[in-house]
Amino acid sequence: MKTIQYVMIGALMVGFSVSAVAQEDHKAVIDQVSKIIKAKGADTQKQVNDIFKLNKKNVDVITAIGRAYLDVKDTVNAQKYADLALKRDNHYGEAYILCGDIQAAKDNGGEAASWYNQATMMDPKNPEGYRRYALAYSKVSPSSAAAKLEELRKQVPGYPVDIIMADIYQNANKIDKAVEYYKKVDPSKMTEAQIVNFALDYFLQGDFSNSLQVASGALQKYPKSPALNRIAFFDLTNLKRFDEALSYADKLFNQSENAKITESDYLYYGYAYMGKNDYDNAIAMFNKSYELNTDNEQDKSDALKNIATAYESKGDLVNATAAYDKYLKSLKEITAYDLGNLASMYQKHAESLKGTEKDEALKKADEIWGQIADKFPSVADVATYNRAHIAYSMDPDTKLGLAKPHYEKLAELINAKSQKSDSDKSRLVECYRYLGYYYLLKNDKSTSDGYWHKVLELDPENATAKQALGIK
């Protein structure tokens, strides 16, 4: 097992150059040797040897030769010239860094980090050793990376350590720490990618106001950035500033460069339209999100649930119940709350119907509440209470006694509780009142009176019970 796994070996290698002074002094030679090695001509070795002989005292040129070989993945010759550079000057940090990069190219993370660490000790004023060491440890041990960069801060006070620290914690997916360091950096000194990460981290923390502030500020410089327009759009939607959210949605969809629109974008578009009570457009966007979604089951379920909610809000309960039923089928695990919402939709739908159609809707609601009572014993009393109400609405004159078995079951469930809430007692009174009235209609005075007395035990001043018992 390798000691360190690199996340950003490419980042370690890209943008390397020898020290600024050396680069300036020997730029023409370094450019020449780089072109020769990249050309891979038949006499490459001879040309490189000639240059080396002329510059064998210039450690920066020797290191640059090794770097050029590493650029073409020739680690053998790269190491040869790194060794020659260190033999010439064993305090030259860039040579140690080259040795580290050679090991990184071989995926020898531990050895690479060891070379970078030696670079910081031999050449403590060179930031590159600290930076590479920190990047090497960015996922393995962010705290070790941060500690190394704090050493750099002391050695080179003006070096932009905080932005590197932020990037390290970002790479380690420690967004709280990343935000802590991003906040210390002037946004004008950040790249677009860093600003996007900063705004996104705030978003992931649920801090939509600060996320919006970062994104909208950066959009002054990058007005066509799809990532920044997306974050601002999402932030404004979550902040319920729906008019502004729709404006940024347009910027994302129609004014950003190379924007790749995702199912999540359509999902948020739907949220924004829902916030404006524009249900038809919301449904269209949620449907689009659902159609585009190929692998995010949670978002697919969310789209279906919101389609149902939108239809319900506009009074189209037929489509609402159909969409919600589809939503339930998309869930891996269905809760009592999920089923209860569907039952309530059917009950609400029944209010707009008459005759047989109304009864069918109520029967469907009753069937669902029955399923809830069976599958979720902890809420069986709530489900049974709703079944009693549905039965009563189908038999308001109590001629058939449709609610009787449900009120009897509800009383049984409540009485089985060791402690009863005020709500429980209120529902018990309702049970006993119904049963007292039911038996009164059946001319069974003895049984009826028994229930009315139970009502008075719970509610001594109940006028209906007193009247039924002839108490003045």
Side-chain angles (χ1 to χ4, degrees), residues 388-408:
H389 277 222
I390 290 170
Y392 183 78
S393 68
M394 297 175 71
D395 178 30
D397 296 326
T398 319
K399 290 180 179 179
L400 303 175
L402 297 182
K404 176 178 177 289
H406 302 306
Y407 276 121
E408 289 174 334

Side-chain angles (χ1 to χ4, degrees), residues 112-177:
S114 178
W115 282 108
Y116 298 143
N117 192 47
Q118 287 186 67
T120 66
M121 292 187 290
M122 296 299 183
D123 190 2
K125 298 296 183 182
N126 185 340
E128 202 59 30
Y130 300 92
R131 189 179 75 85
R132 272 167 158 70
Y133 181 94
L135 287 171
Y137 271 94
S138 62
K139 275 213 168 184
V140 178
S141 177
S143 59
S144 295
K148 180 59 72 174
L149 287 172
E150 288 299 341
E151 292 179 26
L152 172 58
R153 196 194 298 275
K154 293 176 183 177
Q155 292 290 342
V156 188
Y159 196 80
V161 169
D162 290 322
I163 192 61
I164 301 175
M165 297 267 270
D167 287 343
I168 283 171
Y169 282 113
Q170 186 72 37
N171 293 336
N173 201 30
K174 295 182 178 295
I175 63 173
D176 290 348
K177 293 294 289 185

Side-chain angles (χ1 to χ4, degrees), residues 416-436:
K417 296 182 179 183
S418 57
Q419 291 184 326
K420 300 177 183 62
S421 65
D422 290 341
S423 176
D424 289 332
K425 294 174 183 178
S426 177
R427 285 185 291 172
L428 265 181
V429 168
E430 183 178 329
C431 293
Y432 296 147
R433 284 183 56 183
Y434 176 89
L435 293 169

Side-chain angles (χ1 to χ4, degrees), residues 237 240 242 263-264 266-275 277-290 297-316 319-328 330-331 338 341 345:
T237 302
K240 303 187 186 304
F242 300 116
E263 53 85 14
S264 294
Y266 282 105
L267 193 62
Y268 262 84
Y269 224 146
Y271 296 153
Y273 275 126
M274 280 287 283
N277 299 326
D278 187 344
Y279 303 121
D280 289 334
N281 274 320
I283 290 167
M285 292 300 168
F286 289 134
N287 272 317
K288 189 69 175 177
S289 175
Y290 182 80
E297 296 301 323
Q298 183 174 345
D299 277 1
K300 287 175 75 172
S301 295
D302 194 12
L304 289 170
K305 185 177 182 180
N306 277 282
I307 290 169
T309 301
Y311 273 123
E312 183 180 16
S313 297
K314 65 179 290 190
D316 184 349
N319 279 314
T321 51
Y324 198 86
D325 189 58
K326 192 174 181 180
Y327 157 70
L328 290 179
S330 75
L331 299 177
D338 294 325
N341 280 339
M345 281 186 182

Side-chain angles (χ1 to χ4, degrees), residues 445-463:
K445 188 174 187 324
S446 175
T447 304
S448 176
D449 285 354
Y451 282 113
W452 292 120
H453 280 297
K454 287 184 178 183
V455 170
L456 289 177
E457 287 175 11
L458 294 166
D459 181 10
E461 300 303 319
N462 190 282

